[in-house]
Amino acid sequence: MIFGTLGRYFFVRYMVTTFWFFLGVISIVFLVDFSETAGRLAGLPGYSVSIGLLMTAVRLPLIIQQTVPFIALFVGMTVLIALNRRYELVIARAAGISVWQFMTPFVVGALLIGLLTMLALNPVAAWGQRQSEAMEGDLRGDPSYRNTLTVPWLRQISGRDDVIIGAKAFTENGMRLTNPVFIHFDSHNDIVLRQDAVSAKLEDGYWLLKTVVERRPGEIPTHLGEAKVRTNLKQDFVAQRLTQPETIAFYDLSNRISIAKSFGISTKALETQFNSLLSQPFLLVAMTLIAATVSLKFSRFNQSRSVILGGILSGFVLYVVTVLVKAFGSSGVVPPFVATWIPVIVAMAIGATILLHQEDG
């Protein structure tokens, strides 16, 4: 069917409609994001309209990536309703073509869009997110601004030294910490020393702290120009520990997972992101099947509003469930594979079951 004349016609209609939907969504998102960026950063020194346009442009792929499932849903509904109103699906059915045959071009189109999202759009989105955060940090005069909400605590055990490290932010892939705190424990897990510094840089075998205040239980705080804290942490380990999965391109995720495992770092978030991207094409297929369940009933002039609304709500619920379960997978509550694939498989099964009931009784 997909290689026949009718199949090619349906496939081209689907891809052309997808193109126009993407163009419309990109235009709307660009205007909205630029307005939001201008309102948030216009008061900062150095901000200009050209910088705002550039920041919006590099951030656009990430936002578009998040809207792709909804685009697939609305494209499927739009194309099928249009074909119904022009009697084209009626003629196809009269010619003995089953729903599974004329749905094949749409499913292939959804798979293709999903693959392009995974292989082409995601790497650009990951790069764009890093660039937009760096640009905003430069505008604010604080290169570490982009990491103020993402810094986890680190723990290092080097010989008899047990130290927990926290910071306000990090730069240089975790090699430099801003406003770090080093808390030292003894063998009985009692705090013996706290070091607050303006900055800390990871050198070969030690942390170099600048402008340090040392506090020991029962003693007056001591001010030092700099101090060294021995460490066995490697630069690759720290960089891996502090990297956010959303800023890693699909092609590099499997390598990052292997590196994280070699350091003993939890890979739940990375594995969830990897499986989420792998399941993206099938999520779009599920959205297309949901669109078919509410769009194939023939109506010459208008489709039932309640049915269309039901399709939109079904797609929205599926998207929310996938995002929610993905969060569970990242936190380790649910295995990453289960968190990303089960909702998609269940949605595809439900869509296929409804089509079987509608078309084959």
Side-chain angles (χ1 to χ4, degrees):
M1 175 63 188
I2 184 60
F3 299 108
T5 302
L6 186 60
R8 289 196 299 271
Y9 170 72
F10 284 167
F11 179 77
V12 170
R13 284 288 298 271
Y14 180 88
M15 298 304 292
V16 170
T17 305
T18 300
F19 170 78
W20 287 112
F21 261 89
F22 266 103
L23 189 61
V25 170
I26 288 173
S27 302
I28 295 172
V29 169
F30 191 93
L31 291 174
V32 172
D33 188 73
F34 175 72
S35 299
E36 189 274 335
T37 300
R40 182 162 47 88
L41 303 178
L44 297 177
Y47 178 82
S48 64
V49 174
S50 59
I51 292 178
L53 291 172
L54 181 60
M55 289 181 63
T56 298
V58 298
R59 188 163 47 230
L60 193 61
L62 177 67
I63 304 175
I64 296 301
Q65 178 181 299
Q66 297 170 347
T67 65
V68 169
F70 291 106
I71 292 176
L73 175 66
F74 286 111
V75 167
M77 295 176 63
T78 300
V79 174
L80 290 172
I81 290 174
L83 292 176
N84 249 334
R85 290 184 178 181
R86 297 175 60 179
Y87 293 108
E88 290 169 298
L89 290 186
V90 176
I91 295 173
R93 292 172 188 268
I97 299 175
S98 71
V99 63
W100 307 109
Q101 290 176 299
F102 65 71
M103 279 299 298
T104 301
F106 305 118
V107 170
V108 172
L111 281 172
L112 180 60
I113 298 300
L115 288 172
L116 289 175
T117 301
M118 176 179 68
L119 300 176
L121 183 60
N122 171 259
V124 177
W127 173 84
Q129 184 179 13
R130 296 193 300 269
Q131 295 303 311
S132 65
E133 291 174 345
M135 292 171 66
E136 183 166 348
D138 292 338
L139 282 175
R140 293 179 181 274
D142 180 8
S144 65
Y145 169 79
R146 64 185 185 274
N147 300 312
T148 56
L149 300 178
T150 59
V151 180
W153 289 81
L154 296 173
R155 182 175 183 178
Q156 66 174 41
I157 300 177
S158 179
R160 296 182 178 180
D161 297 330
D162 187 352
V163 185
I164 291 180
I165 306 170
K168 178 183 176 182
F170 67 90
T171 55
E172 301 177 17
N173 291 325
M175 300 304 102
R176 185 181 296 276
L177 304 179
T178 301
N179 295 334
V181 177
F182 287 70
I183 301 176
H184 301 251
F185 296 84
D186 60 16
S187 58
H188 302 290
N189 291 325
D190 295 324
I191 297 177
V192 295
L193 173 64
R194 170 174 171 152
Q195 294 173 301
D196 295 83
V198 172
S199 67
K201 183 174 178 58
L202 181 60
E203 304 289 353
D204 188 14
Y206 63 92
W207 289 96
L208 180 61
L209 282 60
K210 297 288 187 178
T211 313
V212 188
V213 178
E214 294 187 345
R215 295 178 175 88
R216 301 177 186 274
E219 298 183 10
I220 298 175
T222 304
H223 296 264
L224 302 174
E226 66 178 34
K228 293 182 180 181
V229 177
R230 186 176 58 179
T231 183
N232 56 3
L233 296 179
K234 302 299 182 182
Q235 293 185 354
D236 289 342
F237 172 86
V238 176
Q240 185 70 30
R241 181 71 175 85
L242 300 178
T243 301
Q244 297 300 304
E246 292 77 14
T247 62
I248 303 175
F250 172 76
Y251 302 106
D252 197 33
L253 273 171
S254 58
N255 183 49
R256 292 297 188 95
I257 291 172
S258 300
I259 294 174
K261 286 182 177 179
S262 68
F263 285 128
I265 302 174
S266 173
T267 60
K268 299 297 184 183
L270 292 172
E271 290 180 29
T272 300
Q273 176 71 1
F274 182 71
N275 281 282
S276 176
L277 292 173
L278 280 180
S279 66
Q280 182 87 353
F282 301 96
L283 175 61
L284 301 193
V285 171
M287 288 291 189
T288 303
L289 292 177
I290 290 174
T293 61
V294 300
S295 306
L296 288 180
K297 185 177 180 180
F298 173 72
S299 178
R300 178 65 181 89
F301 296 104
N302 59 359
Q303 213 77 8
S304 172
R305 294 181 180 178
S306 60
V307 172
I308 293 177
L309 180 60
I312 296 174
L313 289 177
S314 299
F316 179 76
V317 169
L318 172 59
Y319 180 79
V320 170
V321 168
T322 56
V323 172
L324 183 62
V325 179
K326 180 182 176 181
F328 290 154
S330 298
S331 62
V333 176
V334 180
F337 183 86
V338 174
T340 52
W341 284 97
I342 292 301
V344 175
I345 294 173
V346 170
M348 291 177 61
I350 292 176
T353 301
I354 294 176
L355 286 179
L356 280 170
H357 176 72
Q358 290 178 343
E359 302 296 325
D360 301 329

